[in-house]
Amino acid sequence: MRTRLLLLLLCFIGLLTSCQREKETRVTDFVDPFIGTAGQGHCFPGATVPFGGIQLSPDNPRSGWEWCSGYHYSDSIISSFSHSHLSGTGIGDLQDIRLLPVTTRPQVGEKAIDFITKGYAKFSHANETAEPGYYSVTFDNGIKTELTVTSRCGMHSYQYPTNSVYGLTLDLTTARNWDRTVMTSIKKINNRTIQGYRKSTGWAKEHNVYFFMEFSQDVDVWAGNDTLKLLKNGQKLVSNQGYAFIDFGTTTNKVLVKVSLSSANCEGAAANLDKELSHWSFDKVKREAKQRWKRILSRIKAEGASKEETRVFYTALYHAYLAPYLFSDAHGNYKGPDGEIHSVGKANQYTVFSLWDTFRAAHPLFTITQKNRVNDMIKSFIRHYEAHGLLPNWELMGNESHCMIGNHAIPIITEAYLKGIRNFDVEKAYEAMKETSLSQGNGLGLFRTYNYIPCDLEKESVSKTLEYAYDDWCMAQMAKALNKEDDYLYFMEASKNYKNVFDSSTGFMRAKLSDGNWKTPFSPFASAHRDDDYTEGNAWQYSWFVPHDVEGLIALHGGKTAFANKLDSLFTLPSTIEGDNVSPDISGLIGQYAQGNEPSHHVVYLFNYTDTPYKTQYYVDKIRRELYTDRPDGLCGNEDCGQMSAWYVFSAMGFYPMNPSDGKYQLGTPMFKKVTIKLGQDRKFVIKANRENDQYIYVKEVLLNGDKLDRTWITHDEIMDGGELEFVLTPENPSKIKE
């Protein structure tokens, strides 16, 4: 009896311990996918897995700036659940293979598009749920939809009101924002399977999506481009527009649908289902998706902040791990930028590379927590180069969009190599880097000829000059590491070209004509949307982009004191911006500093190069508190495929990669009492801070593995070697800054 009681006690203790451990490690509970779905965040709330190829999420019937991701929290109507979405971009595209459960059947002779739009359903956020890998909503008409995913497949669960029509619409035509359908196909394979494609043009000029769809029971399929007609097994509809109604009959009011996509062909989409989703257990897929998120988010354990701050942190980490997307199908096939089908075998090809944004913090975050994926991403760059002739600029679904400026695949490759991430063809990568650097397009030829880009010969001349100069510095570091001395000297000299657009009389980077004279008139406050001298910014915001030579930039300003005074002005000047075509990206303003747009993201850390590093600490805390919240409008600007959130992740931990390729992280002020970064089975890097309350933001001293640090930065190697970084904080403001 005593033995039995002891065993029961031990079992109870074990169960209790297990429950406590599970509760402690459920980081997914702190993720709210609705953060960033209102305001200008442009996030989607639907189901996806880390870096997954499917983003299964609801769409609203509207288009425009607020609806770039297909969904905006201000809306109350859902027009479809589609399988591809962009996370926080400033341009809308995708939203492919649109399904919507309905409770009506089409009338004889009724136009297909009229029937489709008639089914658009009202809903309330009170009946909507989202968590990592799962989304659910119950419409006002009583239909409940649940969505979950694998890497390449989406799974839908629909529960209809009893005694209603159990139907589903398929819309391959309706386009939002920039996208326009050019050709569709729907083929009924058998009573439970259809396949087809949607080909469109838009931001992605040649976007091909092949789908394979299975139903949990027999169905009738009515398809057409004008009116809907019954489709028999083996029949196919091909048209420039395609719609369908799937009738589930009256067998059961709960129906499951499995969908997979491929950019190559329907066979690849079918293979995805065979490989990843051969069963019909919705709960199993949902559980495994959440487990994948738990594993990847748990690599960083943050402790000792409020629930709201922790929620913002882990949602930011979640957003940082959405893109790039897996692009190759289960056969290893994908459509390349040359329009041809390529194969990677068992490797992975990625897409959606918003490099102008993500080279700054998202990719540096990957070098700490996603080293294997960094190799896969660089291999994806190289394959893009082999098919296209240049490294990707803004790659979207096998297309080069040429959307943004700079050649920022170069710093990403350089950063990876210098950090010891080298499981790729290094010589081929360098060949691609050099070929891209010495190409002539997008003002690069002018940059090589004039050693700056003349504004009368090329738009966005100032920002392009600055960003090409930084890329050339990264080229020089890669050349030096590979013992290519002549290249090193050439690109190092070219990296100084930023000085040629600095006007010492105004203290700003400024547009210069081809005759060497400054463009007039000049206002540092003027801001046009990417058709003037600066890309999504003005002179106040772009004049600081010299992350590779901050000492040189300080010298141009006349020394540390003058430089610090200029930085002060950036944050304290009025927030108004001039210009008839002001970019909506210029948001999250503190003075002229714009956290809502990427060129500003490193600027707050420039105080570390002066005698006032406490101002970095002050403003980092101010940005975190005021411009990031756990509400749907909790992002002050576009999420931009993870960059906006990666800034927060780093800055909340207490350091930031101001120049990602120099191997250093500038110190700020940590938000948590303790952060543990898991680097491997036996290594971890721990950041500790005596953050007694929200006033403890100023750094009194920093200890690295017990030794006092006499610098404002730490190295990548110091992090990856494991150890402890301790911040001794104080609430005392050294200069008593007032907001």
Side-chain angles (χ1 to χ4, degrees):
M1 182 68 178
R2 207 176 280 174
T3 303
R4 185 178 299 172
L5 288 172
L6 181 60
L7 287 172
L8 287 172
L9 180 61
L10 289 173
C11 289
F12 175 76
I13 293 173
L15 180 62
L16 182 62
T17 303
S18 176
C19 291
Q20 289 175 337
R21 188 183 298 115
E22 174 66 18
K23 186 176 181 180
E24 289 172 2
T25 57
R26 285 184 62 180
V27 294
T28 52
D29 290 346
F30 288 108
V31 175
D32 183 356
F34 289 113
I35 294 176
T37 59
Q40 298 183 45
H42 296 180
C43 295
F44 63 85
T48 188
V49 294
F51 306 100
I54 297 289
Q55 308 82 40
L56 182 48
S57 191
D59 304 308
N60 305 134
R62 295 171 177 82
S63 61
W65 173 254
E66 290 85 358
W67 283 268
C68 283
S69 73
Y71 174 100
H72 196 267
Y73 199 80
S74 63
D75 216 320
S76 60
I77 300 174
I78 287 178
S79 58
S80 66
F81 300 106
S82 61
H83 296 76
S84 59
H85 293 82
L86 291 167
S87 178
T89 57
I91 300 175
D93 208 320
L94 309 187
Q95 301 168 45
D96 296 291
I97 320 303
R98 301 160 64 91
L99 297 176
L100 188 72
V102 294
T103 57
T104 59
R105 292 187 176 91
Q107 301 298 310
V108 176
E110 185 176 13
K111 297 288 187 182
I113 185 58
D114 293 337
F115 173 66
I116 294 284
T117 56
K118 188 171 65 177
Y120 293 175
K122 292 185 177 181
F123 76 104
S124 166
H125 293 303
N127 298 318
E128 189 181 30
T129 301
E131 61 187 50
Y134 174 77
Y135 172 87
S136 174
V137 64
T138 300
F139 296 153
D140 291 358
N141 63 17
I143 300 175
K144 181 178 181 179
T145 297
E146 296 180 274
L147 310 173
T148 189
V149 292
T150 67
S151 292
R152 298 180 176 94
C153 308
M155 195 168 193
H156 306 236
S157 173
Y158 303 125
Q159 184 158 352
Y160 298 84
T162 305
N163 298 324
S164 72
V165 170
Y166 310 146
L168 183 69
T169 62
L170 168 62
D171 182 356
L172 300 181
T173 305
T174 305
R176 295 286 176 241
N177 297 298
W178 286 33
D179 193 50
R180 179 175 62 84
T181 302
V182 295
M183 189 59 63
T184 70
S185 172
I186 303 171
K187 180 179 181 180
K188 188 181 182 189
I189 305 298
N190 55 47
N191 288 342
R192 295 193 177 195
T193 310
I194 63 173
Q195 69 177 34
Y197 57 76
R198 175 178 184 262
K199 298 181 180 181
S200 64
T201 186
W203 187 11
K205 296 300 181 185
E206 185 183 349
H207 181 44
N208 301 338
V209 179
Y210 296 86
F211 69 88
F212 195 85
M213 191 178 304
E214 294 183 352
F215 308 102
S216 58
Q217 65 181 60
D218 290 354
V219 299
D220 286 331
V221 178
W222 299 74
N225 61 348
D226 183 22
T227 58
L228 301 176
K229 298 179 181 179
L230 186 64
L231 207 62
K232 296 179 181 180
N233 289 351
Q235 279 190 313
K236 179 167 67 173
L237 168 75
V238 178
S239 177
N240 61 350
Q241 49 186 3
Y243 309 95
F245 169 69
I246 292 96
D247 191 338
F248 295 116
T250 59
T251 303
T252 175
N253 69 334
K254 186 165 185 178
V255 179
L256 299 174
V257 183
K258 300 190 295 189
V259 183
S260 184
L261 311 182
S262 169
S263 66
N265 47 49
C266 290
E267 291 76 16
N272 293 341
L273 285 177
D274 287 342
K275 180 179 180 179
E276 297 181 0
L277 194 49
S278 59
H279 60 82
W280 286 97
S281 174
F282 184 93
D283 289 341
K284 183 176 187 291
V285 179
K286 175 186 174 184
R287 184 171 62 251
E288 289 176 350
K290 192 167 187 178
Q291 187 65 23
R292 290 177 67 175
W293 277 113
K294 177 182 173 182
R295 285 196 300 268
I296 197 170
L297 296 173
S298 295
R299 294 180 188 177
I300 300 179
K301 184 178 181 180
E303 305 172 80
S306 69
K307 288 183 179 179
E308 291 76 15
E309 290 169 327
T310 306
R311 190 175 298 118
V312 174
F313 178 82
Y314 278 113
T315 303
L317 193 58
Y318 166 85
H319 280 143
Y321 290 157
L322 292 182
Y325 301 163
L326 180 62
F327 194 46
S328 48
D329 62 30
H331 284 160
N333 296 332
Y334 68 97
K335 186 192 80 68
D338 55 357
E340 300 297 323
I341 303 304
H342 298 265
S343 179
V344 294
K346 294 183 179 180
N348 292 321
Q349 181 72 11
Y350 285 91
T351 187
V352 184
F353 286 108
S354 180
L355 302 182
W356 181 83
D357 305 290
T358 56
F359 89 91
R360 305 166 196 267
H363 283 276
L365 180 63
F366 301 160
T367 66
I368 296 175
T369 64
Q370 302 294 313
K371 292 173 66 175
N372 290 335
R373 279 197 174 93
V374 172
N375 283 308
D376 285 345
M377 292 171 191
I378 294 175
K379 290 175 183 176
S380 298
F381 292 172
I382 295 172
R383 296 184 195 106
H384 182 96
Y385 161 72
E386 290 174 331
H388 180 63
L390 298 172
L391 287 168
N393 171 278
W394 211 122
E395 190 277 344
L396 175 60
M397 298 295 175
N399 294 264
E400 178 51 75
S401 71
H402 298 291
C403 180
M404 297 302 293
I405 66 171
N407 289 313
H408 296 321
I410 290 171
I412 291 170
I413 297 171
T414 300
E415 175 192 18
Y417 184 83
L418 296 180
K419 289 179 176 179
I421 302 172
R422 302 175 181 179
N423 186 21
F424 54 89
D425 187 335
V426 175
E427 286 300 328
K428 177 63 73 171
Y430 186 79
E431 173 193 311
M433 294 165 69
K434 187 173 179 179
E435 190 73 21
T436 303
S437 293
L438 299 180
S439 62
Q440 298 294 301
N442 298 315
L444 258 175
L446 297 170
F447 181 79
R448 301 298 174 203
T449 301
Y450 290 87
N451 296 322
Y452 67 93
I453 297 179
C455 62
D456 52 333
L457 302 179
E458 182 81 11
K459 293 179 179 180
E460 306 169 292
S461 61
V462 180
S463 8
K464 287 179 178 176
T465 297
L466 296 175
E467 303 221 18
Y468 288 145
Y470 174 66
D471 291 338
D472 277 358
W473 182 86
C474 295
M475 277 294 311
Q477 307 317 302
M478 190 70 170
K480 182 178 181 180
L482 298 178
N483 297 314
K484 300 178 187 292
E485 183 67 16
D486 290 344
D487 285 358
Y488 168 72
L489 294 174
Y490 174 83
F491 287 112
M492 200 64 185
E493 184 64 25
S495 74
K496 300 174 185 177
N497 286 346
Y498 74 88
K499 296 180 180 180
N500 297 327
V501 291
F502 182 79
D503 179 9
S504 58
S505 68
T506 63
F508 290 98
M509 301 292 177
R510 184 175 169 188
K512 183 181 284 188
L513 299 164
S514 55
D515 63 8
N517 292 314
W518 297 112
K519 176 185 176 182
T520 56
F522 169 72
S523 169
F525 297 96
S527 176
H529 191 194
R530 300 166 57 200
D531 59 358
D532 203 344
D533 303 323
Y534 307 90
T535 301
E536 299 185 358
N538 61 20
W540 268 110
Q541 290 139 19
Y542 240 109
S543 291
W544 312 97
F545 190 74
V546 191
H548 58 291
D549 189 17
V550 178
E551 298 298 335
L553 184 62
I554 290 173
L556 289 178
H557 282 81
K560 286 186 178 181
T561 300
F563 184 75
N565 289 339
K566 187 70 170 288
L567 269 177
D568 281 335
S569 298
L570 173 72
F571 286 93
T572 57
L573 282 168
S575 296
T576 54
I577 296 177
E578 302 171 5
D580 297 329
N581 188 23
V582 176
S583 169
D585 288 300
I586 312 306
S587 57
L589 292 170
I590 301 176
Q592 285 293 308
Y593 175 87
Q595 179 65 20
N597 203 29
E598 279 67 22
S600 290
H601 279 189
H602 72 291
V603 175
V604 69
Y605 288 90
L606 288 173
F607 286 111
N608 277 4
Y609 291 81
T610 72
D611 296 324
T612 58
Y614 60 87
K615 293 182 180 179
T616 285
Q617 298 148 27
Y618 171 80
Y619 284 115
V620 164
D621 179 71
K622 182 179 179 69
I623 294 166
R624 288 187 318 218
R625 283 186 294 105
E626 297 181 4
L627 302 180
Y628 291 82
T629 73
D630 65 345
R631 300 189 301 267
D633 63 351
L635 291 174
C636 64
N638 297 167
E639 166 58 17
D640 282 317
C641 297
Q643 171 57 29
M644 190 71 65
S645 288
W647 184 96
Y648 186 89
V649 170
F650 272 118
S651 296
M653 292 193 296
F655 54 94
Y656 185 80
M658 208 201 72
N659 172 7
S661 292
D662 71 356
K664 297 177 183 176
Y665 300 85
Q666 289 295 322
L667 299 178
T669 179
M671 188 177 69
F672 296 95
K673 291 182 178 179
K674 184 179 180 181
V675 173
T676 304
I677 305 174
K678 298 176 183 177
L679 304 170
Q681 290 185 343
D682 302 319
R683 285 179 298 115
K684 59 185 178 181
F685 188 72
V686 180
I687 303 107
K688 290 184 176 180
N690 61 320
R691 192 173 169 88
E692 303 299 331
N693 56 51
D694 290 345
Q695 304 304 311
Y696 277 69
I697 63 171
Y698 297 105
V699 178
K700 187 175 182 180
E701 64 178 7
V702 180
L703 306 173
L704 179 61
N705 297 323
D707 296 326
K708 187 174 179 179
L709 206 61
D710 60 356
R711 45 186 159 91
T712 62
W713 45 270
I714 57 173
T715 70
H716 183 77
D717 287 344
E718 287 168 340
I719 293 174
M720 301 309 290
D721 286 343
E724 182 176 286
L725 185 70
E726 182 179 0
F727 287 81
V728 180
L729 303 178
T730 175
E732 298 300 322
N733 184 337
S735 72
K736 302 200 170 27
I737 299 178
K738 297 187 184 294
E739 298 185 34

